[in-house]
Amino acid sequence: QVQLVESGGGVVQPGRSLRLSCAASGFTFRNYGMHWVRQAPGKGLEWVAVISYDGNAKYYADSVKGRFTISRDNSKNTLSLQMNSLRSADTAVYFCAKDVTISCGGDCPPAYWGQGTLVTVSS
Amino acid sequence: SYVLTQPPSVSLAPGKTATITCGGNNIGTKNVHWYQEKPGQAPVLVVYDNSVRPSAIPERFSGSNSGNTATLTISRVEAGDEADYYCQVWDTSSDHWVFGGGTKVTVL
């Protein structure tokens, strides 16, 4: 069955960097676009970034553009999110999620989500 | 940027029909997707492309979209349907995904 396991979260000081990973299994990873979505404590869902199935298209929320980079390694079935210049407002649970259907260029909704990894930005 | 507006909360008795709205400018021209999130769990896609249910989702969940309002309807509400529900669209003018603020459904 589909499994998405996020890792790399933790406590980090403002201005520092962190790299999140998402290990995918149970489906043909290279065929699906992938998303990062976050949820601050007690708040709603906020889309962060999406990458197309082939990695050629990447889109970012305005709040993270220029600081975060989404990438994928289809040979290792892994999705990543490099987060630089972290701010307290980036504190959240970060979910990775796979598209509902194959071969999407970033505009298909996420159908299956991992359990998330908590990132806390604090001095 | 595109904005989606949801009511903060909906409360109803078991067996009744829950109607959750998602308002947006000409949202009827977009595909709307709906998620259910229960405390401590990952979100679950319950309706996509306005009215398509994933195979594991009960028929009690249905969606519609027209004009400036999309709607998620939950028929014969059960205690297990208590959750936060979010709508989502892809905004082609900005190439951004947008979530509504979420609606908390409480089954009395």
Side-chain angles (χ1 to χ4, degrees):
Chain A
Q1 73 278 25
V2 173
Q3 278 203 316
L4 297 170
V5 180
E6 302 91 340
S7 62
V11 180
V12 61
Q13 293 179 327
R16 304 298 291 264
S17 299
L18 205 61
R19 186 177 183 89
L20 304 183
S21 295
C22 173
S25 60
F27 64 102
T28 306
F29 180 73
R30 66 177 181 274
N31 287 347
Y32 288 86
M34 298 291 295
H35 303 248
W36 286 103
V37 178
R38 68 185 180 184
Q39 186 168 38
K43 302 296 184 181
L45 300 175
E46 181 188 12
W47 170 71
V48 174
V50 63
I51 186 168
S52 61
Y53 71 103
D54 56 5
N56 287 337
K58 303 175 185 180
Y59 303 101
Y60 298 91
D62 291 345
S63 58
V64 307
K65 193 168 186 177
R67 300 188 299 124
F68 290 12
T69 301
I70 189 172
S71 61
R72 64 190 300 157
D73 186 337
N74 286 344
S75 67
K76 296 182 179 179
N77 292 349
T78 300
L79 175 73
S80 297
L81 185 69
Q82 177 67 40
M83 304 186 296
N84 298 333
S85 303
L86 283 162
R87 308 165 180 168
S88 58
D90 297 318
T91 294
V93 173
Y94 285 73
F95 298 98
C96 74
K98 69 175 278 289
D99 275 353
V100 69
T101 188
I102 64 172
S103 304
C104 287
D107 58 349
C108 289
Y112 189 86
W113 302 50
Q115 291 301 310
T117 186
L118 177 61
V119 172
T120 302
V121 183
S122 174
S123 54
Chain B
S1 59
Y2 195 77
V3 176
L4 295 175
T5 302
Q6 297 183 238
S9 62
V10 168
S11 299
L12 72 170
K16 298 298 186 182
T17 297
T19 300
I20 304 166
T21 59
C22 177
N25 187 37
N26 288 325
I27 196 173
T29 63
K30 303 180 183 299
N31 281 324
V32 180
H33 320 291
W34 292 91
Y35 301 87
Q36 175 194 70
E37 186 183 32
K38 296 180 180 180
Q41 298 184 23
V44 173
L45 181 68
V46 294
V47 167
Y48 66 98
D49 289 355
N50 302 316
S51 60
V52 180
R53 267 183 303 104
S55 57
I57 303 303
E59 292 183 7
R60 300 185 297 105
F61 289 81
S62 62
S64 63
N65 184 20
S66 179
N68 291 318
T69 305
T71 303
L72 175 69
T73 302
I74 311 173
S75 303
R76 303 179 300 283
V77 161
E78 304 171 355
D81 298 330
E82 268 203 355
D84 293 324
Y85 291 83
Y86 296 88
C87 58
Q88 182 196 36
V89 301
W90 172 253
D91 179 25
T92 55
S93 64
S94 62
D95 286 337
H96 281 33
W97 281 102
V98 180
F99 281 101
T103 298
K104 182 176 183 62
V105 171
T106 301
V107 181
L108 302 171

